[in-house]
Amino acid sequence: MPFSHLGLDTGILRAIQKAGYTRPTAVQAAAIPKVMQGNDLIAIAQTGTGKTAAFVLPMLHRLLLGNHQTQARGIKSLILAPTRELAVQIMENIRAFGNGLPIRVAAIFGGVEEAAQIKSLHRGVDIIVATPGRLLDLIGRQKLDFSLLELLVLDEADRMLHMGFLPDIEKIVAGVPKRRQTLMFSATLSKEIESLARRFLHQPKMVQIGKRANPADTVDQCVYEVPAHLKNALLLELLRQPKFTRVLVFVRMKDGANVLTNFLKLSGVKVARLHSSRSQEQRLQALQDFKDGKIRVLVATDIVARGIDIEGVSQVVNFDFPVNPEDYVHRIGRTGRAEAEGEAISFVPKQDLNLLDILEMFIGQRLDRKRLRGFDYHAPVPAPTPGEKAPRRDWRKRTRDMEAKKSAKPAGRPAKKNTGPRGRK
Ligand code: AMP
């Protein structure tokens, strides 16, 4: 079915054509007609299936129709998303599809000065894309008027629940009109999501693309059985292959991201890191450099990488195996987006084999096991001979040295000896 059969405004159809989309993806073809008919909707769709356009396109259509009729300016649509990166990305999608249309959008998220965000609200907006925390803060200070709100979207609802946003979402929903259309998007369908739908949605239609919790079919998945201490070396070995062009590497902890990034840097790999202790500017810069191809590897933690859309990610590497199977689905959804081919590689040391079992039960699929000579625990590498330095210790020491150098006083000013309390000689 072509886009023209969906009944969308001609201005929107032009923008779709400009974006180079030739036909709706499965979730768009299923969801858009239901939303256009005014239904509430739960859409269970894997990430990378085109779900953003599935709610943005009918939202723009509805706004154009409404604006022609009432001409009243005010917040008509609100989209809640779990992270700033996702909020920015949704806003960019809205700007692309709404290019040339009389529709204004603002994004509200924490971690940056709020003055500019408040200023954009004063100019009048039709759509707000927000993370729950900052939005609630502005609601508390009566900076927002939701009396004209007609459409509410909860994007990545499962992730928002995992991040503990439920109390914030409850407060936000309590402050918007009861008569509204509500759309909920989630990568996975869980009891919590069903319960959220029962509370916030009215007789929703359901769209479920693919099997329950089944990762995108276009992603080639495998696991490497590797001892934990050889994960760094294995990653480096894999990166020797030219097909590893734009690689997103997931780790569990921020510290782990720092250590791995330093290791890769020292090994000559162009790399950046993305985690919640980095400033908003650093995070956006890292993403931009990755998108522009200035860096080859982006090391990220789950929270910030959730939902981000980067074209042409060739491999997702689960350097640390995800504790939560839903995180696996999200992580690997960063590659093979919109029906493109992609590879998902997971490192599974012995201590994570139970997590692999749980994941395989969750996705209903056994993942292909791969072994690389010298990097698997079935044939362990010989212990270093006496006097020879183990590579693990070597790079750890080099990482420590690098950190110490960074925190050292600038050259030319020798560090003062600790002489006790200030001023004492
Ligand atoms: P999403 O699941 O919304 O994050 O979208 C994933 C990717 O699919 C994005 O890069 C979109 O630009 C792209 N995309 C969305 N809809 C289509 C479409 N109908 N045809 C081709 N690409 C699309």
Side-chain angles (χ1 to χ4, degrees):
M1 186 198 347
F3 273 109
S4 55
H5 287 194
L6 295 173
L8 292 162
D9 180 271
T10 49
I12 300 173
L13 288 176
R14 270 197 298 275
I16 293 172
Q17 208 176 14
K18 218 165 144 199
Y21 297 179
T22 47
R23 62 185 173 89
T25 61
V27 66
Q28 291 161 4
I32 293 174
K34 293 186 171 60
V35 181
M36 300 268 282
Q37 284 158 13
N39 295 297
D40 280 9
L41 179 86
I42 313 177
I44 307 297
Q46 296 141 30
T47 51
T49 52
K51 66 183 173 58
T52 314
F55 63 80
V56 166
L57 298 175
M59 174 183 287
L60 292 173
H61 179 84
R62 180 178 179 145
L63 282 169
L64 283 177
L65 217 68
N67 282 354
H68 286 314
Q69 279 163 11
T70 63
Q71 299 293 326
R73 200 171 270 292
I75 304 163
K76 315 260 179 47
S77 300
L78 169 65
I79 303 159
L80 293 180
T83 63
R84 323 166 200 182
E85 282 77 10
L86 187 56
V88 169
Q89 197 173 288
I90 295 169
M91 183 173 74
E92 283 168 357
N93 260 267
I94 295 171
R95 289 211 169 123
F97 293 119
N99 189 12
L101 305 177
I103 287 171
R104 288 196 199 153
V105 54
I108 308 255
F109 46 81
V112 289
E113 283 285 311
E114 61 174 34
Q117 294 177 352
I118 293 176
K119 207 166 145 195
S120 67
L121 292 177
H122 286 156
R123 280 200 298 268
V125 291
D126 304 282
I127 306 174
I128 287 186
V129 192
T131 52
R134 170 67 64 89
L135 186 75
L136 204 56
D137 187 30
L138 295 186
I139 291 174
R141 289 189 281 136
Q142 267 127 49
K143 299 278 182 202
L144 293 160
D145 174 6
F146 284 122
S147 56
L148 292 176
L149 191 102
E150 297 169 351
L151 180 58
L152 171 68
V153 179
L154 305 176
D155 193 20
E156 307 244 352
D158 51 347
R159 188 60 181 174
M160 288 201 280
L161 293 185
H162 278 132
M163 288 170 75
F165 282 135
L166 182 60
D168 289 1
I169 296 172
E170 282 168 340
K171 285 182 204 141
I172 292 166
V173 175
V176 303
K178 280 206 164 52
R179 257 178 77 91
R180 59 165 198 267
Q181 188 179 9
T182 309
L183 317 178
M184 191 160 81
F185 287 76
S186 174
T188 49
L189 180 61
S190 60
K191 283 208 174 71
E192 291 81 15
I193 288 293
E194 281 168 6
S195 135
L196 199 66
R198 266 196 302 278
R199 292 175 57 198
F200 296 155
L201 277 64
H202 177 68
Q203 297 181 349
K205 300 279 181 207
M206 173 120 177
V207 165
Q208 192 161 5
I209 302 302
K211 274 189 245 141
R212 185 177 190 256
N214 187 24
D217 291 333
T218 50
V219 180
D220 212 2
Q221 304 166 62
C222 71
V223 301
Y224 277 92
E225 302 179 320
V226 57
H229 72 281
L230 289 182
K231 289 200 296 186
N232 285 53
L234 175 60
L235 179 59
L236 211 52
E237 185 63 25
L238 293 175
L239 287 173
R240 283 171 190 271
Q241 301 174 38
K243 68 171 181 172
F244 283 68
T245 49
R246 189 167 295 171
V247 187
L248 186 53
V249 178
F250 281 98
V251 291
R252 257 174 231 158
M253 318 287 271
K254 291 180 240 173
D255 288 350
N258 293 339
V259 171
L260 181 61
T261 305
N262 284 342
F263 165 74
L264 291 172
K265 245 184 221 164
L266 284 167
S267 310
V269 177
K270 288 202 170 115
V271 57
R273 64 209 147 120
L274 195 67
H275 59 65
S276 58
S277 293
R278 308 230 77 203
S279 71
Q280 178 66 3
E281 261 163 44
Q282 287 170 324
R283 283 158 66 169
L284 291 174
Q285 187 63 52
L287 271 177
Q288 200 55 50
D289 287 349
F290 193 51
K291 284 181 186 173
D292 294 346
K294 287 188 187 152
I295 54 164
R296 186 168 160 226
V297 177
L298 185 63
V299 178
T301 53
D302 286 294
I303 291 196
V304 285
R306 183 82 169 197
I308 56 168
D309 176 33
I310 299 160
E311 259 178 53
V313 172
S314 52
Q315 282 83 14
V316 165
V317 177
N318 292 315
F319 183 85
D320 289 331
F321 202 80
V323 177
N324 190 335
E326 276 141 17
D327 281 339
Y328 177 86
V329 178
H330 277 277
R331 286 179 177 192
I332 77 159
R334 307 298 106 220
T335 185
R337 294 176 79 71
E339 287 147 36
E341 298 275 307
E343 247 184 304
I345 295 163
S346 304
F347 291 177
V348 190
K350 265 188 184 156
Q351 63 263 35
D352 288 341
L353 280 173
N354 62 331
L355 295 176
L356 177 61
D357 281 348
I358 294 169
L359 174 74
E360 290 183 332
M361 265 190 292
F362 184 78
I363 60 175
Q365 186 182 345
R366 186 179 153 81
L367 299 179
D368 189 20
R369 265 68 167 167
K370 282 196 177 166
R371 291 177 193 170
L372 202 63
R373 240 175 97 82
F375 296 96
D376 75 294
Y377 41 70
H378 301 277
V381 276
T385 49
E388 187 192 347
K389 257 187 184 172
R392 174 168 70 114
R393 293 201 184 288
D394 193 25
W395 69 256
R396 286 233 164 112
K397 184 176 177 304
R398 288 171 75 188
T399 302
R400 269 203 311 276
D401 290 349
M402 205 163 123
E403 292 292 336
K405 224 182 195 173
K406 258 196 237 154
S407 54
K409 299 246 162 22
R413 260 202 253 159
K416 278 186 198 153
K417 270 197 184 146
N418 186 1
T419 51
R422 274 193 125 192
R424 220 172 74 184
K425 298 255 156 111

